[in-house]
Amino acid sequence: MFYFVIFSGRLLIQPTTVPFDRVAFYAYFSSDILASMDNHILAFNTVVTNVGNAYHPHSGTFIAPRSGLYVFTWTIRAYGSRYHSTQLLVDNNVINTIYINPNSVMDGSVTGTAVVHVDQGDDVFIRTFPPNSGEIISGNNGRSSFCGWSLM
């Protein structure tokens, strides 16, 4: 459905709904999670946005509904003697890795970002990767999260 707007003598056509091919999601951990196992998929369980319903919070996996260029970003928060390495995987291929080690002196977070071509049906997820120790923190003072959206 479209509606028309006249602006400075020009006719502009604007869509009134989000195009069907748009895909975007944002999810975070509702509380701290124990994540000291290696190669464990992180299931960000609180979904704020899931346009296209392609993110599956029970498995922590985004399944691409169509091929295209996507942006993915994730943030991991830790403090004290906890440290974590996490990876973004697309179709079981490592695309990016981040690491945080507050070294017992700070509360902090680290964020990874990737722009990558994803084929329809590919799985995209975040997993732990050695070394890992203790909990990943998520709360009102900062959330551990995962999000993504289609560019084209």
Side-chain angles (χ1 to χ4, degrees):
M1 172 178 237
F2 292 92
Y3 66 92
F4 300 93
V5 176
I6 304 290
F7 180 73
S8 299
R10 294 182 10 211
L11 179 64
L12 302 176
I13 300 175
Q14 297 178 339
T16 58
T17 60
V18 175
F20 72 93
D21 61 346
R22 297 283 192 241
V23 178
F25 73 95
Y26 169 68
Y28 63 87
F29 289 130
S30 60
S31 62
D32 301 349
I33 65 151
L34 184 59
S36 55
M37 293 178 12
D38 295 335
N39 301 314
H40 176 75
I41 296 174
L42 299 176
F44 298 84
N45 63 337
T46 302
V47 178
V48 175
T49 303
N50 199 3
V51 176
N53 295 314
Y55 177 71
H56 305 277
H58 297 293
S59 66
T61 303
F62 169 81
I63 301 173
R66 62 182 177 86
S67 297
L69 194 59
Y70 289 82
V71 177
F72 297 100
T73 183
W74 76 107
T75 299
I76 301 298
R77 184 171 166 235
Y79 72 87
S81 60
R82 296 155 178 87
Y83 50 89
H84 293 282
S85 184
T86 55
Q87 298 178 316
L88 172 74
L89 282 85
V90 174
D91 196 33
N92 287 317
N93 295 306
V94 175
I95 302 301
N96 195 0
T97 302
I98 60 174
Y99 177 71
I100 184 168
N101 183 355
N103 201 20
S104 299
V105 295
M106 64 178 257
D107 179 348
S109 61
V110 62
T111 298
T113 303
V115 179
V116 62
H117 181 272
V118 179
D119 290 323
Q120 183 176 7
D122 280 355
D123 293 339
V124 180
F125 57 88
I126 306 300
R127 75 173 181 191
T128 59
F129 185 74
N132 286 289
S133 173
E135 297 172 317
I136 291 176
I137 307 305
S138 190
N140 291 335
N141 292 326
R143 293 187 170 133
S144 293
S145 61
F146 180 33
C147 67
W149 59 92
S150 60
L151 285 178
M152 52 178 62

